[in-house]
Amino acid sequence: MMRLAFGLVLALLSAGVGPALAQDPGTLDKKPLPPLVHPDSPSTPAKELFGRKTEPVPLAARSIGFYSSGCLAGAVALPINGPTWQVMRLSRNRNWGHPTLIGFLERLAESAKKVGWNGLLVGDMSQPRGGPMLTGHASHQVGLDADIWLTPMPDRKLSAEEREFMSAVNMVAEDRRDVESKVWTHTRTELIRTAAQDADVERIFVNAAIKKALCREAGPDRSWLAKVRPWWGHDYHFHVRIRCPADNPDCHGQPPPAEGEGCGSELNWWFSDGVLHPPPSAPPKRTTPLAALPPACRQVLVAP
Ligand SMILES: [Zn+2]
């Protein structure tokens, strides 16, 4: 048990996916952050620096570093309204990504329609220059991660207010051992399958209860299940992680997922009492300084 727990802590660190906070409301009254008193101090957390950048660096697109320790040059914004998607929580200004991620989201939004999903509600991607964030995620730093709500896009354009305050629907049952049958539908399996089958996708993170449902509903072609990994949180959305683009040598991806579907007994640990009902603990304080990120991230930060 100790070894398992230790392995999990390692996996947590290496996967770089923090607890998912997609259901935090936004605001219609966003105030600019106050300037930093000592922006050049080596102890200034990198999140304070990257969190203050409101525009991308107009350079060639480049993901630098690892999903939970890096940054992004040449980011592109996902348009807030597409034919089959809408961006949520606009006040966060996190609809930025590497063009590979933008291309994937546009492709998924279209193919999702074909499996009966009305369109995507897109949550957090990355900040304009990537990097650590003041709130939420440990990852999403290199422009290759995106959160997609498990609530379909409605047939109308959402108002500014709805985009800040509307909540997605929790897919996990109250006992956390399976999906909630009153809200879960097979179309959600088809949607996640469609995303997982995309060649650009490296991993997908979902709640273990959702993985359990996917295992049950996958049908004969189960090859895509290996990419879909159980993780804490992710009750309301799934998290898609794109592979490092081939021409971005400073981008460090994850090794291929372990062999097998990750169904059956491998899932049991997630439903053990200690995991379902962990003792309360303080959230980790993230104070990573700029020097801990890849050196190229300094240029991304200081570029005009
Ligand atoms: Zn995420």
Side-chain angles (χ1 to χ4, degrees), residues 16-22 123-125 137-140 145-148 205 234 237-241:
V17 187
L21 300 167
D124 282 359
M125 297 162 54
H137 323 275
S139 65
H140 290 248
D145 293 286
D147 290 340
I148 300 168
F205 300 99
H234 300 85
H237 73 271
F238 63 108
H239 173 138
V240 180
R241 173 166 291 173

Side-chain angles (χ1 to χ4, degrees), residues 66-148:
F66 187 65
Y67 304 95
S68 55
S69 177
C71 60
L72 170 67
V76 176
L78 179 70
I80 62 167
N81 295 304
T84 44
W85 74 81
Q86 295 184 43
V87 175
M88 304 301 285
R89 305 293 189 264
L90 302 179
S91 63
R92 296 191 198 178
N93 195 26
R94 289 179 181 174
N95 57 320
W96 298 88
H98 190 284
T100 311
L101 175 64
I102 308 293
F104 161 77
L105 289 168
E106 295 183 356
R107 201 159 60 236
L108 178 65
E110 200 180 312
S111 34
K113 196 90 183 166
K114 296 186 190 123
V115 298
W117 190 252
N118 199 46
L120 307 181
L121 294 179
V122 181
D124 282 359
M125 297 162 54
S126 286
Q127 302 179 123
R129 299 187 190 194
M133 298 178 179
L134 285 161
T135 55
H137 323 275
S139 65
H140 290 248
Q141 294 192 25
V142 294
L144 297 172
D145 293 286
D147 290 340
I148 300 168

Side-chain angles (χ1 to χ4, degrees), residues 158-235:
L158 293 169
S159 68
E161 193 170 356
E162 286 172 308
R163 291 188 202 224
E164 299 298 343
F165 301 111
M166 186 179 130
S167 179
V169 178
N170 187 355
M171 292 294 132
V172 179
E174 208 178 327
D175 69 4
R176 307 205 54 81
R177 292 175 184 279
D178 209 323
V179 289
E180 170 54 59
S181 59
K182 289 194 203 76
V183 293
W184 181 258
T185 55
H186 184 67
T187 312
R188 289 173 166 87
T189 298
E190 294 299 319
L191 171 67
I192 296 171
R193 178 217 301 270
T194 305
Q197 284 175 334
D198 192 292
D200 282 348
V201 170
E202 186 171 81
R203 291 279 197 288
I204 292 179
F205 300 99
V206 295
N207 187 276
I210 293 175
K211 171 87 189 203
K212 193 191 224 178
L214 300 177
C215 291
R216 189 167 54 223
E217 296 183 8
D221 173 15
R222 308 178 67 83
S223 53
W224 56 278
L225 283 167
K227 279 187 194 175
V228 186
R229 317 301 295 181
W231 210 254
W232 284 274
H234 300 85
D235 302 12

